[in-house]
């Protein structure tokens, strides 16, 4: 990969980071992804009493396939409720924002690498680069949430809108800055 792609890689990461901020904080595409429990105080008190370590949990849960086949598990499964719960430790907004930026930087680098393998400069027109990068970008940003949504029932509407926007942003930046020689 040439050094001429460093600027579009970094610029794309910065643009995607700010697009993510706009998506979450201004447009609030994920506002309805999570809803408040009707009896939140009662639930929190019950969970607090269980002294649960940070991590992801499934209920009813099991530790083996044999346990999943047991009558006790079947009884719990039938009685419900079923769910997944993630318990956080202390949250560091700075660390999370930093990791988000690194994610966009790595994604931009990988898309630059893929595009450089597929499209050789010079004299590549804007639309050729835009179509390739935006398609690969859409696959990058959207594909992971689909199986997650299938298994864990999360909403994907906001993710779909973000993925289309991110793909267009990164496609336009790379197309506009693709090396001429």
């Amino acid at each position: 990969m040439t050094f001429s792609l460093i600027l579009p890689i970094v610029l794309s990461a910065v643009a995607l980071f700010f697009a993510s901020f706009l998506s979450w904080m201004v447009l609030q595409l994920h506002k309805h992804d999570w809803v408040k429990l009707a009896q939140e105080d009662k639930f929190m008190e019950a969970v607090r009493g269980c002294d649960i370590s940070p991590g992801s949990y499934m209920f009813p849960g099991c530790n083996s396939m044999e346990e999943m086949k047991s009558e006790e598990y079947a009884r719990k499964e039938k009685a419900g409720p079923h769910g997944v719960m993630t318990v956080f430790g202390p949250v560091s907004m700075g660390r999370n924002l930093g990791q988000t930026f690194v994610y966009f930087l790595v994604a931009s680098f990988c898309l630059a690498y893929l595009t450089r393998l597929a499209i050789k400069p010079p004299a590549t027109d804007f639309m050729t680069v835009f179509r390739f990068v935006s398609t690969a970008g859409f696959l990058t940003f959207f594909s992971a949430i689909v199986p997650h949504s299938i298994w864990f029932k999360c909403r994907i509407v906001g993710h779909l809108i973000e993925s289309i926007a991110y793909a267009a942003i990164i496609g336009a930046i790379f197309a506009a800055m693709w090396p001429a020689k």
Side-chain angles (χ1 to χ4, degrees), residues 143-180:
S143 357
I145 197 65
V146 173
H148 189 79
S149 174
I150 290 168
W151 286 97
F152 302 108
K153 310 303 180 215
C154 65
R155 287 174 23 102
I156 63 170
V157 173
H159 296 285
L160 173 62
I161 294 167
E162 283 173 338
S163 297
I164 293 168
Y166 295 169
I169 289 167
I170 198 167
I173 290 172
F174 273 90
M177 301 181 83
W178 192 249

PDB file of all heavy atoms in Angstrom, residues 143-180:
ATOM      1  N   SER A 143     -22.674  -5.938   8.273  1.00  0.00           N
ATOM      2  CA  SER A 143     -22.830  -7.389   8.350  1.00  0.00           C
ATOM      3  C   SER A 143     -22.796  -7.970   9.749  1.00  0.00           C
ATOM      4  O   SER A 143     -23.496  -8.917  10.011  1.00  0.00           O
ATOM      5  CB  SER A 143     -21.826  -8.140   7.506  1.00  0.00           C
ATOM      6  OG  SER A 143     -21.001  -7.392   6.784  1.00  0.00           O
ATOM      7  N   ALA A 144     -21.979  -7.447  10.623  1.00  0.00           N
ATOM      8  CA  ALA A 144     -21.841  -8.051  11.955  1.00  0.00           C
ATOM      9  C   ALA A 144     -23.115  -7.918  12.786  1.00  0.00           C
ATOM     10  O   ALA A 144     -23.417  -8.785  13.605  1.00  0.00           O
ATOM     11  CB  ALA A 144     -20.675  -7.425  12.706  1.00  0.00           C
ATOM     12  N   ILE A 145     -23.892  -6.869  12.580  1.00  0.00           N
ATOM     13  CA  ILE A 145     -25.073  -6.654  13.420  1.00  0.00           C
ATOM     14  C   ILE A 145     -26.222  -7.589  13.037  1.00  0.00           C
ATOM     15  O   ILE A 145     -27.070  -7.893  13.860  1.00  0.00           O
ATOM     16  CB  ILE A 145     -25.517  -5.171  13.397  1.00  0.00           C
ATOM     17  CG1 ILE A 145     -26.460  -4.865  14.558  1.00  0.00           C
ATOM     18  CG2 ILE A 145     -26.154  -4.797  12.085  1.00  0.00           C
ATOM     19  CD1 ILE A 145     -25.859  -4.972  15.919  1.00  0.00           C
ATOM     20  N   VAL A 146     -26.251  -8.088  11.814  1.00  0.00           N
ATOM     21  CA  VAL A 146     -27.370  -8.936  11.386  1.00  0.00           C
ATOM     22  C   VAL A 146     -27.430 -10.237  12.185  1.00  0.00           C
ATOM     23  O   VAL A 146     -28.467 -10.549  12.780  1.00  0.00           O
ATOM     24  CB  VAL A 146     -27.340  -9.179   9.864  1.00  0.00           C
ATOM     25  CG1 VAL A 146     -28.398 -10.197   9.454  1.00  0.00           C
ATOM     26  CG2 VAL A 146     -27.540  -7.870   9.122  1.00  0.00           C
ATOM     27  N   PRO A 147     -26.332 -11.041  12.257  1.00  0.00           N
ATOM     28  CA  PRO A 147     -26.441 -12.247  13.082  1.00  0.00           C
ATOM     29  C   PRO A 147     -26.669 -11.918  14.559  1.00  0.00           C
ATOM     30  O   PRO A 147     -27.370 -12.644  15.265  1.00  0.00           O
ATOM     31  CB  PRO A 147     -25.110 -12.977  12.880  1.00  0.00           C
ATOM     32  CG  PRO A 147     -24.275 -12.139  11.993  1.00  0.00           C
ATOM     33  CD  PRO A 147     -25.073 -10.972  11.535  1.00  0.00           C
ATOM     34  N   HIS A 148     -26.103 -10.808  15.016  1.00  0.00           N
ATOM     35  CA  HIS A 148     -26.323 -10.394  16.409  1.00  0.00           C
ATOM     36  C   HIS A 148     -27.819 -10.122  16.641  1.00  0.00           C
ATOM     37  O   HIS A 148     -28.386 -10.524  17.653  1.00  0.00           O
ATOM     38  CB  HIS A 148     -25.485  -9.143  16.718  1.00  0.00           C
ATOM     39  CG  HIS A 148     -25.464  -8.772  18.148  1.00  0.00           C
ATOM     40  ND1 HIS A 148     -24.656  -9.418  19.065  1.00  0.00           N
ATOM     41  CD2 HIS A 148     -26.149  -7.847  18.849  1.00  0.00           C
ATOM     42  CE1 HIS A 148     -24.850  -8.893  20.253  1.00  0.00           C
ATOM     43  NE2 HIS A 148     -25.750  -7.943  20.147  1.00  0.00           N
ATOM     44  N   SER A 149     -28.448  -9.483  15.672  1.00  0.00           N
ATOM     45  CA  SER A 149     -29.876  -9.196  15.776  1.00  0.00           C
ATOM     46  C   SER A 149     -30.707 -10.473  15.728  1.00  0.00           C
ATOM     47  O   SER A 149     -31.705 -10.603  16.437  1.00  0.00           O
ATOM     48  CB  SER A 149     -30.289  -8.265  14.636  1.00  0.00           C
ATOM     49  OG  SER A 149     -31.677  -8.087  14.626  1.00  0.00           O
ATOM     50  N   ILE A 150     -30.307 -11.408  14.900  1.00  0.00           N
ATOM     51  CA  ILE A 150     -31.036 -12.674  14.801  1.00  0.00           C
ATOM     52  C   ILE A 150     -31.016 -13.402  16.138  1.00  0.00           C
ATOM     53  O   ILE A 150     -32.046 -13.880  16.627  1.00  0.00           O
ATOM     54  CB  ILE A 150     -30.434 -13.557  13.691  1.00  0.00           C
ATOM     55  CG1 ILE A 150     -30.737 -12.942  12.319  1.00  0.00           C
ATOM     56  CG2 ILE A 150     -30.957 -14.992  13.776  1.00  0.00           C
ATOM     57  CD1 ILE A 150     -29.954 -13.552  11.169  1.00  0.00           C
ATOM     58  N   TRP A 151     -29.860 -13.462  16.764  1.00  0.00           N
ATOM     59  CA  TRP A 151     -29.728 -14.233  18.006  1.00  0.00           C
ATOM     60  C   TRP A 151     -30.154 -13.467  19.249  1.00  0.00           C
ATOM     61  O   TRP A 151     -30.692 -14.052  20.187  1.00  0.00           O
ATOM     62  CB  TRP A 151     -28.290 -14.725  18.165  1.00  0.00           C
ATOM     63  CG  TRP A 151     -28.003 -15.857  17.232  1.00  0.00           C
ATOM     64  CD1 TRP A 151     -27.402 -15.786  16.006  1.00  0.00           C
ATOM     65  CD2 TRP A 151     -28.347 -17.225  17.428  1.00  0.00           C
ATOM     66  NE1 TRP A 151     -27.346 -17.024  15.433  1.00  0.00           N
ATOM     67  CE2 TRP A 151     -27.924 -17.940  16.290  1.00  0.00           C
ATOM     68  CE3 TRP A 151     -28.972 -17.925  18.456  1.00  0.00           C
ATOM     69  CZ2 TRP A 151     -28.091 -19.300  16.153  1.00  0.00           C
ATOM     70  CZ3 TRP A 151     -29.136 -19.287  18.315  1.00  0.00           C
ATOM     71  CH2 TRP A 151     -28.700 -19.955  17.175  1.00  0.00           C
ATOM     72  N   PHE A 152     -29.902 -12.164  19.284  1.00  0.00           N
ATOM     73  CA  PHE A 152     -30.131 -11.416  20.522  1.00  0.00           C
ATOM     74  C   PHE A 152     -31.234 -10.376  20.412  1.00  0.00           C
ATOM     75  O   PHE A 152     -31.448  -9.598  21.322  1.00  0.00           O
ATOM     76  CB  PHE A 152     -28.823 -10.793  21.008  1.00  0.00           C
ATOM     77  CG  PHE A 152     -27.769 -11.830  21.243  1.00  0.00           C
ATOM     78  CD1 PHE A 152     -26.686 -11.952  20.383  1.00  0.00           C
ATOM     79  CD2 PHE A 152     -27.877 -12.724  22.292  1.00  0.00           C
ATOM     80  CE1 PHE A 152     -25.725 -12.924  20.578  1.00  0.00           C
ATOM     81  CE2 PHE A 152     -26.920 -13.710  22.501  1.00  0.00           C
ATOM     82  CZ  PHE A 152     -25.845 -13.801  21.638  1.00  0.00           C
ATOM     83  N   LYS A 153     -31.940 -10.382  19.299  1.00  0.00           N
ATOM     84  CA  LYS A 153     -33.157  -9.588  19.096  1.00  0.00           C
ATOM     85  C   LYS A 153     -32.966  -8.084  19.270  1.00  0.00           C
ATOM     86  O   LYS A 153     -33.870  -7.384  19.689  1.00  0.00           O
ATOM     87  CB  LYS A 153     -34.287 -10.071  20.033  1.00  0.00           C
ATOM     88  CG  LYS A 153     -34.535 -11.561  20.013  1.00  0.00           C
ATOM     89  CD  LYS A 153     -34.856 -12.059  18.633  1.00  0.00           C
ATOM     90  CE  LYS A 153     -35.105 -13.555  18.642  1.00  0.00           C
ATOM     91  NZ  LYS A 153     -34.635 -14.216  17.464  1.00  0.00           N
ATOM     92  N   CYS A 154     -31.793  -7.573  18.913  1.00  0.00           N
ATOM     93  CA  CYS A 154     -31.588  -6.127  18.994  1.00  0.00           C
ATOM     94  C   CYS A 154     -32.148  -5.477  17.732  1.00  0.00           C
ATOM     95  O   CYS A 154     -32.275  -6.103  16.688  1.00  0.00           O
ATOM     96  CB  CYS A 154     -30.111  -5.792  19.179  1.00  0.00           C
ATOM     97  SG  CYS A 154     -29.061  -6.237  17.779  1.00  0.00           S
ATOM     98  N   ARG A 155     -32.501  -4.215  17.861  1.00  0.00           N
ATOM     99  CA  ARG A 155     -33.002  -3.458  16.706  1.00  0.00           C
ATOM    100  C   ARG A 155     -31.844  -3.149  15.764  1.00  0.00           C
ATOM    101  O   ARG A 155     -30.746  -2.865  16.215  1.00  0.00           O
ATOM    102  CB  ARG A 155     -33.625  -2.139  17.164  1.00  0.00           C
ATOM    103  CG  ARG A 155     -34.956  -2.286  17.857  1.00  0.00           C
ATOM    104  CD  ARG A 155     -35.469  -0.962  18.419  1.00  0.00           C
ATOM    105  NE  ARG A 155     -34.942   0.218  17.789  1.00  0.00           N
ATOM    106  CZ  ARG A 155     -35.602   0.964  16.879  1.00  0.00           C
ATOM    107  NH1 ARG A 155     -36.806   0.626  16.510  1.00  0.00           N
ATOM    108  NH2 ARG A 155     -35.058   2.040  16.364  1.00  0.00           N
ATOM    109  N   ILE A 156     -32.098  -3.179  14.465  1.00  0.00           N
ATOM    110  CA  ILE A 156     -31.010  -2.889  13.531  1.00  0.00           C
ATOM    111  C   ILE A 156     -31.291  -1.690  12.632  1.00  0.00           C
ATOM    112  O   ILE A 156     -30.450  -1.324  11.819  1.00  0.00           O
ATOM    113  CB  ILE A 156     -30.644  -4.113  12.668  1.00  0.00           C
ATOM    114  CG1 ILE A 156     -31.791  -4.549  11.782  1.00  0.00           C
ATOM    115  CG2 ILE A 156     -30.154  -5.248  13.522  1.00  0.00           C
ATOM    116  CD1 ILE A 156     -31.395  -5.595  10.748  1.00  0.00           C
ATOM    117  N   VAL A 157     -32.427  -1.043  12.794  1.00  0.00           N
ATOM    118  CA  VAL A 157     -32.787   0.073  11.917  1.00  0.00           C
ATOM    119  C   VAL A 157     -31.719   1.170  11.974  1.00  0.00           C
ATOM    120  O   VAL A 157     -31.237   1.634  10.943  1.00  0.00           O
ATOM    121  CB  VAL A 157     -34.182   0.639  12.282  1.00  0.00           C
ATOM    122  CG1 VAL A 157     -34.483   1.894  11.484  1.00  0.00           C
ATOM    123  CG2 VAL A 157     -35.249  -0.417  12.071  1.00  0.00           C
ATOM    124  N   GLY A 158     -31.347   1.580  13.175  1.00  0.00           N
ATOM    125  CA  GLY A 158     -30.321   2.618  13.316  1.00  0.00           C
ATOM    126  C   GLY A 158     -28.989   2.177  12.738  1.00  0.00           C
ATOM    127  O   GLY A 158     -28.285   2.958  12.096  1.00  0.00           O
ATOM    128  N   HIS A 159     -28.642   0.912  12.932  1.00  0.00           N
ATOM    129  CA  HIS A 159     -27.391   0.374  12.389  1.00  0.00           C
ATOM    130  C   HIS A 159     -27.410   0.371  10.860  1.00  0.00           C
ATOM    131  O   HIS A 159     -26.395   0.637  10.222  1.00  0.00           O
ATOM    132  CB  HIS A 159     -27.126  -1.034  12.923  1.00  0.00           C
ATOM    133  CG  HIS A 159     -26.914  -1.074  14.394  1.00  0.00           C
ATOM    134  ND1 HIS A 159     -25.752  -0.648  14.997  1.00  0.00           N
ATOM    135  CD2 HIS A 159     -27.717  -1.468  15.400  1.00  0.00           C
ATOM    136  CE1 HIS A 159     -25.846  -0.789  16.296  1.00  0.00           C
ATOM    137  NE2 HIS A 159     -27.041  -1.285  16.569  1.00  0.00           N
ATOM    138  N   LEU A 160     -28.559   0.048  10.276  1.00  0.00           N
ATOM    139  CA  LEU A 160     -28.682   0.057   8.821  1.00  0.00           C
ATOM    140  C   LEU A 160     -28.469   1.471   8.275  1.00  0.00           C
ATOM    141  O   LEU A 160     -27.691   1.680   7.338  1.00  0.00           O
ATOM    142  CB  LEU A 160     -30.048  -0.476   8.393  1.00  0.00           C
ATOM    143  CG  LEU A 160     -30.373  -0.374   6.902  1.00  0.00           C
ATOM    144  CD1 LEU A 160     -29.385  -1.192   6.071  1.00  0.00           C
ATOM    145  CD2 LEU A 160     -31.800  -0.820   6.646  1.00  0.00           C
ATOM    146  N   ILE A 161     -29.133   2.441   8.884  1.00  0.00           N
ATOM    147  CA  ILE A 161     -28.991   3.837   8.437  1.00  0.00           C
ATOM    148  C   ILE A 161     -27.542   4.302   8.597  1.00  0.00           C
ATOM    149  O   ILE A 161     -26.972   4.903   7.685  1.00  0.00           O
ATOM    150  CB  ILE A 161     -29.968   4.750   9.218  1.00  0.00           C
ATOM    151  CG1 ILE A 161     -31.411   4.394   8.857  1.00  0.00           C
ATOM    152  CG2 ILE A 161     -29.672   6.226   8.941  1.00  0.00           C
ATOM    153  CD1 ILE A 161     -32.451   4.987   9.775  1.00  0.00           C
ATOM    154  N   GLU A 162     -26.941   3.988   9.749  1.00  0.00           N
ATOM    155  CA  GLU A 162     -25.536   4.358   9.962  1.00  0.00           C
ATOM    156  C   GLU A 162     -24.624   3.694   8.934  1.00  0.00           C
ATOM    157  O   GLU A 162     -23.722   4.338   8.394  1.00  0.00           O
ATOM    158  CB  GLU A 162     -25.069   3.911  11.350  1.00  0.00           C
ATOM    159  CG  GLU A 162     -25.529   4.767  12.466  1.00  0.00           C
ATOM    160  CD  GLU A 162     -25.173   4.165  13.815  1.00  0.00           C
ATOM    161  OE1 GLU A 162     -24.951   2.943  13.925  1.00  0.00           O
ATOM    162  OE2 GLU A 162     -25.120   4.934  14.779  1.00  0.00           O
ATOM    163  N   SER A 163     -24.844   2.427   8.660  1.00  0.00           N
ATOM    164  CA  SER A 163     -23.987   1.697   7.732  1.00  0.00           C
ATOM    165  C   SER A 163     -24.046   2.291   6.328  1.00  0.00           C
ATOM    166  O   SER A 163     -23.018   2.403   5.652  1.00  0.00           O
ATOM    167  CB  SER A 163     -24.373   0.215   7.698  1.00  0.00           C
ATOM    168  OG  SER A 163     -24.157  -0.363   8.965  1.00  0.00           O
ATOM    169  N   ILE A 164     -25.230   2.677   5.894  1.00  0.00           N
ATOM    170  CA  ILE A 164     -25.366   3.323   4.589  1.00  0.00           C
ATOM    171  C   ILE A 164     -24.620   4.652   4.587  1.00  0.00           C
ATOM    172  O   ILE A 164     -23.877   4.966   3.646  1.00  0.00           O
ATOM    173  CB  ILE A 164     -26.859   3.496   4.221  1.00  0.00           C
ATOM    174  CG1 ILE A 164     -27.510   2.127   3.985  1.00  0.00           C
ATOM    175  CG2 ILE A 164     -27.011   4.411   3.005  1.00  0.00           C
ATOM    176  CD1 ILE A 164     -29.025   2.166   3.909  1.00  0.00           C
ATOM    177  N   ALA A 165     -24.798   5.435   5.651  1.00  0.00           N
ATOM    178  CA  ALA A 165     -24.113   6.731   5.738  1.00  0.00           C
ATOM    179  C   ALA A 165     -22.599   6.553   5.811  1.00  0.00           C
ATOM    180  O   ALA A 165     -21.852   7.243   5.101  1.00  0.00           O
ATOM    181  CB  ALA A 165     -24.615   7.505   6.962  1.00  0.00           C
ATOM    182  N   TYR A 166     -22.136   5.631   6.657  1.00  0.00           N
ATOM    183  CA  TYR A 166     -20.692   5.391   6.773  1.00  0.00           C
ATOM    184  C   TYR A 166     -20.106   4.946   5.433  1.00  0.00           C
ATOM    185  O   TYR A 166     -19.019   5.378   5.043  1.00  0.00           O
ATOM    186  CB  TYR A 166     -20.384   4.321   7.813  1.00  0.00           C
ATOM    187  CG  TYR A 166     -20.728   4.652   9.239  1.00  0.00           C
ATOM    188  CD1 TYR A 166     -20.702   3.661  10.211  1.00  0.00           C
ATOM    189  CD2 TYR A 166     -21.080   5.931   9.650  1.00  0.00           C
ATOM    190  CE1 TYR A 166     -20.999   3.933  11.535  1.00  0.00           C
ATOM    191  CE2 TYR A 166     -21.393   6.211  10.967  1.00  0.00           C
ATOM    192  CZ  TYR A 166     -21.354   5.209  11.909  1.00  0.00           C
ATOM    193  OH  TYR A 166     -21.644   5.472  13.218  1.00  0.00           O
ATOM    194  N   ALA A 167     -20.822   4.078   4.723  1.00  0.00           N
ATOM    195  CA  ALA A 167     -20.348   3.589   3.432  1.00  0.00           C
ATOM    196  C   ALA A 167     -20.231   4.741   2.434  1.00  0.00           C
ATOM    197  O   ALA A 167     -19.247   4.831   1.688  1.00  0.00           O
ATOM    198  CB  ALA A 167     -21.286   2.508   2.899  1.00  0.00           C
ATOM    199  N   ALA A 168     -21.224   5.620   2.410  1.00  0.00           N
ATOM    200  CA  ALA A 168     -21.179   6.765   1.499  1.00  0.00           C
ATOM    201  C   ALA A 168     -20.042   7.717   1.866  1.00  0.00           C
ATOM    202  O   ALA A 168     -19.338   8.220   0.978  1.00  0.00           O
ATOM    203  CB  ALA A 168     -22.522   7.500   1.523  1.00  0.00           C
ATOM    204  N   ILE A 169     -19.849   7.944   3.158  1.00  0.00           N
ATOM    205  CA  ILE A 169     -18.783   8.848   3.606  1.00  0.00           C
ATOM    206  C   ILE A 169     -17.415   8.304   3.215  1.00  0.00           C
ATOM    207  O   ILE A 169     -16.604   9.010   2.605  1.00  0.00           O
ATOM    208  CB  ILE A 169     -18.867   9.060   5.131  1.00  0.00           C
ATOM    209  CG1 ILE A 169     -20.095   9.904   5.484  1.00  0.00           C
ATOM    210  CG2 ILE A 169     -17.584   9.710   5.665  1.00  0.00           C
ATOM    211  CD1 ILE A 169     -20.444   9.900   6.969  1.00  0.00           C
ATOM    212  N   ILE A 170     -17.146   7.054   3.558  1.00  0.00           N
ATOM    213  CA  ILE A 170     -15.822   6.502   3.277  1.00  0.00           C
ATOM    214  C   ILE A 170     -15.625   6.326   1.770  1.00  0.00           C
ATOM    215  O   ILE A 170     -14.528   6.557   1.246  1.00  0.00           O
ATOM    216  CB  ILE A 170     -15.558   5.197   4.061  1.00  0.00           C
ATOM    217  CG1 ILE A 170     -14.049   4.906   4.102  1.00  0.00           C
ATOM    218  CG2 ILE A 170     -16.345   4.036   3.519  1.00  0.00           C
ATOM    219  CD1 ILE A 170     -13.657   3.835   5.097  1.00  0.00           C
ATOM    220  N   GLY A 171     -16.681   5.975   1.055  1.00  0.00           N
ATOM    221  CA  GLY A 171     -16.581   5.858  -0.400  1.00  0.00           C
ATOM    222  C   GLY A 171     -16.246   7.189  -1.050  1.00  0.00           C
ATOM    223  O   GLY A 171     -15.380   7.268  -1.936  1.00  0.00           O
ATOM    224  N   ALA A 172     -16.906   8.261  -0.606  1.00  0.00           N
ATOM    225  CA  ALA A 172     -16.649   9.591  -1.175  1.00  0.00           C
ATOM    226  C   ALA A 172     -15.236  10.078  -0.848  1.00  0.00           C
ATOM    227  O   ALA A 172     -14.557  10.646  -1.720  1.00  0.00           O
ATOM    228  CB  ALA A 172     -17.686  10.580  -0.650  1.00  0.00           C
ATOM    229  N   ILE A 173     -14.784   9.864   0.372  1.00  0.00           N
ATOM    230  CA  ILE A 173     -13.431  10.306   0.745  1.00  0.00           C
ATOM    231  C   ILE A 173     -12.383   9.579  -0.075  1.00  0.00           C
ATOM    232  O   ILE A 173     -11.463  10.201  -0.632  1.00  0.00           O
ATOM    233  CB  ILE A 173     -13.198  10.131   2.266  1.00  0.00           C
ATOM    234  CG1 ILE A 173     -14.051  11.158   3.031  1.00  0.00           C
ATOM    235  CG2 ILE A 173     -11.717  10.301   2.608  1.00  0.00           C
ATOM    236  CD1 ILE A 173     -14.062  10.958   4.540  1.00  0.00           C
ATOM    237  N   PHE A 174     -12.477   8.258  -0.159  1.00  0.00           N
ATOM    238  CA  PHE A 174     -11.481   7.511  -0.928  1.00  0.00           C
ATOM    239  C   PHE A 174     -11.555   7.833  -2.421  1.00  0.00           C
ATOM    240  O   PHE A 174     -10.529   7.952  -3.086  1.00  0.00           O
ATOM    241  CB  PHE A 174     -11.606   6.000  -0.695  1.00  0.00           C
ATOM    242  CG  PHE A 174     -10.830   5.549   0.498  1.00  0.00           C
ATOM    243  CD1 PHE A 174     -11.409   5.518   1.740  1.00  0.00           C
ATOM    244  CD2 PHE A 174      -9.501   5.165   0.361  1.00  0.00           C
ATOM    245  CE1 PHE A 174     -10.682   5.106   2.855  1.00  0.00           C
ATOM    246  CE2 PHE A 174      -8.766   4.755   1.461  1.00  0.00           C
ATOM    247  CZ  PHE A 174      -9.350   4.732   2.711  1.00  0.00           C
ATOM    248  N   ALA A 175     -12.775   7.998  -2.950  1.00  0.00           N
ATOM    249  CA  ALA A 175     -12.907   8.324  -4.369  1.00  0.00           C
ATOM    250  C   ALA A 175     -12.299   9.699  -4.671  1.00  0.00           C
ATOM    251  O   ALA A 175     -11.637   9.879  -5.687  1.00  0.00           O
ATOM    252  CB  ALA A 175     -14.368   8.268  -4.788  1.00  0.00           C
ATOM    253  N   ALA A 176     -12.537  10.660  -3.786  1.00  0.00           N
ATOM    254  CA  ALA A 176     -12.021  12.017  -3.997  1.00  0.00           C
ATOM    255  C   ALA A 176     -10.506  12.075  -3.827  1.00  0.00           C
ATOM    256  O   ALA A 176      -9.832  12.890  -4.459  1.00  0.00           O
ATOM    257  CB  ALA A 176     -12.683  12.983  -3.034  1.00  0.00           C
ATOM    258  N   MET A 177      -9.944  11.207  -2.989  1.00  0.00           N
ATOM    259  CA  MET A 177      -8.521  11.283  -2.679  1.00  0.00           C
ATOM    260  C   MET A 177      -7.709  10.127  -3.261  1.00  0.00           C
ATOM    261  O   MET A 177      -6.552   9.933  -2.886  1.00  0.00           O
ATOM    262  CB  MET A 177      -8.336  11.351  -1.153  1.00  0.00           C
ATOM    263  CG  MET A 177      -9.039  12.556  -0.538  1.00  0.00           C
ATOM    264  SD  MET A 177      -8.785  12.646   1.226  1.00  0.00           S
ATOM    265  CE  MET A 177      -7.187  13.448   1.224  1.00  0.00           C
ATOM    266  N   TRP A 178      -8.319   9.352  -4.167  1.00  0.00           N
ATOM    267  CA  TRP A 178      -7.605   8.200  -4.743  1.00  0.00           C
ATOM    268  C   TRP A 178      -6.391   8.701  -5.518  1.00  0.00           C
ATOM    269  O   TRP A 178      -6.484   9.656  -6.273  1.00  0.00           O
ATOM    270  CB  TRP A 178      -8.553   7.418  -5.646  1.00  0.00           C
ATOM    271  CG  TRP A 178      -7.984   6.079  -6.034  1.00  0.00           C
ATOM    272  CD1 TRP A 178      -7.566   5.728  -7.288  1.00  0.00           C
ATOM    273  CD2 TRP A 178      -7.759   4.949  -5.207  1.00  0.00           C
ATOM    274  NE1 TRP A 178      -7.106   4.441  -7.278  1.00  0.00           N
ATOM    275  CE2 TRP A 178      -7.207   3.946  -6.006  1.00  0.00           C
ATOM    276  CE3 TRP A 178      -7.978   4.705  -3.859  1.00  0.00           C
ATOM    277  CZ2 TRP A 178      -6.865   2.693  -5.514  1.00  0.00           C
ATOM    278  CZ3 TRP A 178      -7.634   3.463  -3.366  1.00  0.00           C
ATOM    279  CH2 TRP A 178      -7.079   2.459  -4.175  1.00  0.00           C
ATOM    280  N   PRO A 179      -5.246   8.062  -5.304  1.00  0.00           N
ATOM    281  CA  PRO A 179      -4.011   8.533  -5.966  1.00  0.00           C
ATOM    282  C   PRO A 179      -4.141   8.569  -7.488  1.00  0.00           C
ATOM    283  O   PRO A 179      -4.614   7.623  -8.102  1.00  0.00           O
ATOM    284  CB  PRO A 179      -2.948   7.492  -5.556  1.00  0.00           C
ATOM    285  CG  PRO A 179      -3.535   6.765  -4.407  1.00  0.00           C
ATOM    286  CD  PRO A 179      -5.019   6.878  -4.497  1.00  0.00           C
ATOM    287  N   ALA A 180      -3.708   9.703  -8.058  1.00  0.00           N
ATOM    288  CA  ALA A 180      -3.787   9.878  -9.506  1.00  0.00           C
ATOM    289  C   ALA A 180      -2.647   9.165 -10.207  1.00  0.00           C
ATOM    290  O   ALA A 180      -2.699   8.886 -11.385  1.00  0.00           O
ATOM    291  CB  ALA A 180      -3.778  11.356  -9.858  1.00  0.00           C
TER     292      ALA A 180
END
